[in-house]
Amino acid sequence: MDPMYTHISQQYNAELEDIRSKVLQMGGLVEQQIDQALQALVKGDIALGEAVIMDDTKVNSMEVAIDEECSQIIARRQPAASDLRLVVAVIKTITDLERIGDEAEKIARMAVRLAGDERPKNNYAEIHSLGMHVRTMVHNALDAFARVDIEAAFNVAREDRKVDEQYEAVIRQLITVMMEDPRTISRVLNVIWAARALERIGDHASNLCEYIVYLVKGKDVRHTSLEQVEKEILGRPSGS
C-alpha cells in the first residue's frame, strides 16, 4: 500500500487498495481484448473475434462494480485530500478503460467482417503495428497508475502524437489502395474503421495519464497542451 493512502483504519486501507487493484484487473482484461482483437484481424479468426465481442460485457460489468464501490467509499468514508483524488481518478480511469474495451470490440467486429474477404499480402501488418503501439501505451499507462509514477505518465502521453502520425500514414496507404483498385473499397473501409478504433485507444491511454497527474498533483490538465503541463508540473520543456 502506498504511504500516500495509509490510514489508522485498516478497513479503510483495504477499501482503497481494493479499488486500485480492481482498476488494474479491469485494465488487464482490456489489454487482453486489444490483443485478441488484433489477432482475430491478422489471422482472420472469426471465433476469436466473436469471443472478444462477447467478453465486452465483462468489461462493462467491472466498470459498474468499481463505480459502485467508489460511490460507497464516498458515502461512508467522506474521503478528503489525496483519498478523494484517488477515488475520483479511479472513476475517471474506469470510464476510459470501458471505452477502450468498446474500441477493441469494434476492431473485433471488423475482424469478423473481414475474415471472409480476400486478404492482403502483408496480412494487415500496418494495422498490427499500430495496434501494438497503442496496446503498449495502455499497458504503460496502467503501470504508471499502479506505481503512481508521474514521469512514466508523461512518457506515455508523448506517445500519442506518434500514434496519430502512424495512424495518418496508415490511412494514406489505405486510400491509395482504394484508388488503385476500386474492388477493394468495401474491405479497405472496414480496415479504416479498425485503424480509427486503434487511434481512439491511443487517445484514451493518454487520458489515463492525465488522471495520474490529477491523482499526484491535484491538477486537472484536460484541454491543456502536453508542453504546458510538463512545464507547470515538472518545471521543464516537453520531452527534455
Side-chain angles (χ1 to χ4, degrees), residues 17-37:
E17 183 57 34
D18 190 55
I19 58 171
R20 284 180 52 168
S21 175
K22 285 180 179 174
V23 166
L24 297 175
Q25 289 175 26
M26 182 178 178
L29 178 55
V30 165
E31 283 187 64
Q32 178 183 305
Q33 291 280 86
I34 299 169
D35 279 340
Q36 291 183 341

Side-chain angles (χ1 to χ4, degrees), residues 31 172 180 231:
E31 283 187 64
R172 286 195 297 271
E180 290 177 349
K231 186 175 180 181

Side-chain angles (χ1 to χ4, degrees), residues 137-149:
M137 276 186 73
V138 173
H139 178 81
N140 290 344
L142 289 165
D143 186 59
F145 174 84
R147 295 186 287 111
V148 199
D149 188 336

Side-chain angles (χ1 to χ4, degrees), residues 108-152:
R109 290 187 184 279
M110 294 306 109
V112 171
R113 288 185 192 176
L114 289 163
D117 293 348
E118 182 182 349
R119 305 182 65 72
K121 291 179 181 179
N122 70 353
N123 251 358
Y124 303 113
E126 70 283 354
I127 297 296
H128 186 258
S129 177
L130 176 62
M132 294 310 294
H133 196 165
V134 299
R135 193 259 192 219
T136 298
M137 276 186 73
V138 173
H139 178 81
N140 290 344
L142 289 165
D143 186 59
F145 174 84
R147 295 186 287 111
V148 199
D149 188 336
I150 199 168
E151 290 265 4

Side-chain angles (χ1 to χ4, degrees), residues 79-94:
S82 61
D83 300 333
L84 182 59
R85 293 206 303 270
L86 171 64
V87 176
V88 171
V90 165
I91 292 170
K92 291 174 180 288
T93 296
I94 60 175

Side-chain angles (χ1 to χ4, degrees), residues 37-91:
L38 284 170
Q39 286 181 46
L41 180 63
V42 171
K43 296 178 180 178
D45 190 329
I46 293 176
L48 186 58
E50 289 176 342
V52 172
I53 295 166
M54 293 293 291
D55 278 352
D56 188 56
T57 56
K58 294 180 184 177
V59 175
N60 296 342
S61 296
M62 290 186 82
E63 183 199 15
V64 171
I66 297 169
D67 189 65
E68 174 62 24
E69 196 168 340
C70 288
S71 297
Q72 291 291 329
I73 289 173
I74 291 171
R76 288 188 284 105
R77 302 293 186 181
Q78 298 181 336
S82 61
D83 300 333
L84 182 59
R85 293 206 303 270
L86 171 64
V87 176
V88 171
V90 165
I91 292 170

